[in-house]
Amino acid sequence: MTRTRSLAVAAAVFAVVVLFALGVPLLNKAVSPTIDVGGETFDLAGVTIVAPEQTLMRPGFYQPGSGRIEFLVGDAEVDIAVAGPYDFDAEYLAEEMARLLETQPGVRLTDPRACDADGVEGAGRSFVTETGAGFACAFVHGDIRAEVTATVSSIGSGSGVAASLSSRTAERVDELIAQLDFETA
């Protein structure tokens, strides 16, 4: 085989590898299949959650080993992270979450927000970004902490205009949060 032919074969193989390495994840994100998980029970590091009706999830966004799950509720992406042990209260956790949100470019914290998960009172903040709005809630029960962040879904958005969660979506997210059951912890 000549040197030119070897380079051509190597370039073709490289192009195929790059196409699959970049193309498949982009295609998966563009297609973004979702499944209805309403009524299903999920366990996250000792906290149980039953998804309300019409709650969606993309495959692979439930990671029980790391205590993370992401739901699609109306026009919101809802990320829940549960871990322990945690030795502080919900107010302190909410402040930690607020500090992390503030470090992101274009994020502006707004009003404090009431948060309640199956009788466990939490603390939260609303926020606005350049592309949307959302809120974060922090819960601590015993030595287990749960962080919930709801933001305008990137699925179907892309208008370049900042969007906010509809009041119906915010209500549905609150229904989801209310399903966090710390009693199994």
Side-chain angles (χ1 to χ4, degrees):
M1 205 184 283
T2 68
R3 182 174 170 90
T4 306
R5 187 172 179 161
S6 295
L7 285 173
V9 169
V13 168
F14 178 74
V16 169
V17 169
V18 168
L19 177 68
F20 279 102
L22 297 176
V24 171
L26 290 174
L27 180 63
N28 282 343
K29 187 167 180 101
V31 173
S32 188
T34 59
I35 55 174
D36 187 346
V37 294
E40 292 188 33
T41 302
F42 300 91
D43 293 314
L44 298 169
V47 174
T48 303
I49 185 167
V50 177
E53 294 302 315
Q54 299 178 357
T55 300
L56 304 175
M57 178 187 296
R58 291 184 294 251
F61 282 78
Y62 173 43
Q63 302 163 353
S66 64
R68 296 189 70 90
I69 194 165
E70 184 178 298
F71 294 106
L72 299 172
V73 178
D75 58 357
E77 292 179 2
V78 182
D79 181 48
I80 302 173
V82 178
Y86 189 74
D87 295 327
F88 300 97
D89 63 8
E91 288 290 332
Y92 186 83
L93 180 57
E95 288 302 316
E96 284 183 338
M97 292 173 70
R99 281 191 292 276
L100 288 173
L101 284 167
E102 285 179 314
T103 64
Q104 298 176 24
V107 173
R108 183 175 49 86
L109 296 176
T110 57
D111 304 321
R113 184 174 200 288
C115 300
D116 184 51
D118 192 33
V120 175
E121 187 177 327
R125 291 292 295 264
S126 296
F127 59 87
V128 177
T129 69
E130 293 174 355
T131 58
F135 61 87
C137 289
F139 300 95
V140 176
H141 182 73
D143 66 347
I144 301 291
R145 77 173 192 254
E147 302 172 20
V148 181
T149 306
T151 56
V152 173
S153 174
S154 60
I155 296 175
S157 65
S159 62
V161 176
S164 61
L165 295 175
S166 70
S167 60
R168 176 62 186 136
T169 294
E171 289 172 9
R172 291 186 55 214
V173 172
D174 284 336
E175 290 172 24
L176 176 69
I177 292 171
Q179 295 299 314
L180 288 171
D181 183 5
F182 289 88
E183 295 306 314
T184 59

